[in-house]
Amino acid sequence: MGAQWKAKHKDLAANAKGRLFGKLAKEIMMAARNGADPASNSRLRLVVEQARKVSMPKDTLDRAIKKGAGLTGEAVNFEHVIYEGFAPHRVPVMVECLTDNVNRTAPEMRVLFRKGQLGTSGSVSWDFDHVGMIEAEPANATADAEVAAIEAGAQDFEPAAEGNATVFLTDPTDLDLVSRALPAQGFTVLSAKLGYKPKNPVDPASLSAEDLEEVETFLAAIDANDDVQNVFVGLAG
């Protein structure tokens, strides 16, 4: 599951495209607060590129930028909140939310964490590193992830597993710089964002198949909440 959990099964990702567009629209609106021009707003540029790669409709994209930049007269009042705790079987979890109503989101998180354990601020985050995460895939057969990481200025990289992209890890302040440098090293950037990488992930081999299924079900329920942007899980593999 790695640093950022993603639903493994299509049946756990019903309406996933719509949810993805909704989450990206929130990210775009938040980023556009610092300016509507992606050329001069690196955070907005990264999210816009990600939205285009997943074929977000242009009118949806443009509307989100204008709304976030205050060009439509509509107020954007999303608050960034992180909930920390444990999934079943003591698997550490960090849940990143963007919400327009914390008084709604907080009790919903408490309900969702009933099969795990909701912790206080700092109870889990100490066991995660705050990093930039860039998903990228080789644009040609000669592209070498290790060389690309060194040349682009990444701190580290996670080799591509079956069906997944290579993940380049950066210092949070270097996210945009590295994402701009990777194409020259033969890699196409698919997404770039700040996230949390577990320092001491739980080995899946230490859990039974039934235990892992319980963790998956818990994570899927968390991810399905409309206020949840990202779920970071301390589970290796």
Side-chain angles (χ1 to χ4, degrees):
M1 292 180 196
Q4 183 172 0
W5 176 81
K6 296 180 180 179
K8 288 185 178 180
H9 310 294
K10 291 182 179 179
D11 58 333
L12 294 179
N15 301 316
K17 196 100 173 180
R19 287 209 307 273
L20 176 60
F21 287 167
K23 291 180 180 184
L24 284 171
K26 282 186 180 180
E27 292 276 7
I28 290 166
M29 284 186 272
M30 290 289 286
R33 287 177 172 180
N34 297 321
D37 183 5
S40 58
N41 182 340
S42 61
R43 180 182 174 190
L44 179 60
R45 182 182 66 79
L46 290 170
V47 185
V48 166
E49 287 181 2
Q50 187 178 353
R52 286 174 175 159
K53 283 185 172 71
V54 297
S55 303
M56 175 183 275
K58 187 177 185 302
D59 60 337
T60 303
L61 176 58
D62 291 343
R63 187 165 58 248
I65 292 175
K66 290 177 181 177
K67 186 174 180 179
L71 302 178
T72 65
E74 300 174 79
V76 176
N77 295 310
F78 291 120
E79 185 174 347
H80 180 258
V81 187
I82 293 179
Y83 295 92
E84 305 177 29
F86 295 91
H89 311 291
R90 301 294 293 175
V91 174
V93 179
M94 295 189 67
V95 181
E96 189 175 42
C97 296
L98 281 179
T99 176
D100 58 359
N101 187 347
V102 175
N103 291 329
R104 177 194 66 237
T105 307
E108 288 178 354
M109 286 296 113
R110 284 196 292 271
V111 170
L112 288 167
F113 267 91
R114 279 179 181 169
K115 293 189 176 180
Q117 180 184 344
L118 183 61
T120 57
S121 178
S123 61
V124 168
S125 59
W126 64 269
D127 202 22
F128 286 77
D129 286 321
H130 190 214
V131 297
M133 297 176 172
I134 303 171
E135 289 187 317
E137 59 186 14
N140 56 66
T142 62
D144 184 293
E146 184 173 6
V147 172
I150 294 170
E151 294 297 326
Q155 289 184 332
D156 201 357
F157 73 98
E158 296 176 354
E162 184 178 353
N164 294 318
T166 299
V167 178
F168 293 90
L169 302 171
T170 78
D171 185 274
T173 59
D174 292 338
L175 179 63
D176 186 51
L177 183 68
V178 176
S179 68
R180 286 177 180 268
L182 281 172
Q185 303 302 323
F187 277 82
T188 300
V189 174
L190 303 176
S191 70
K193 64 175 65 179
L194 297 176
Y196 294 88
K197 177 178 171 56
K199 297 177 184 177
N200 303 290
V202 174
D203 184 351
S206 67
L207 302 175
S208 69
E210 292 79 10
D211 291 346
L212 283 172
E213 185 63 30
E214 285 183 36
V215 174
E216 276 282 344
T217 301
F218 173 89
L219 296 174
I222 294 280
D223 188 59
N225 183 277
D226 288 340
D227 293 332
V228 172
Q229 290 293 108
N230 297 297
V231 182
F232 301 99
V233 185
L235 193 62

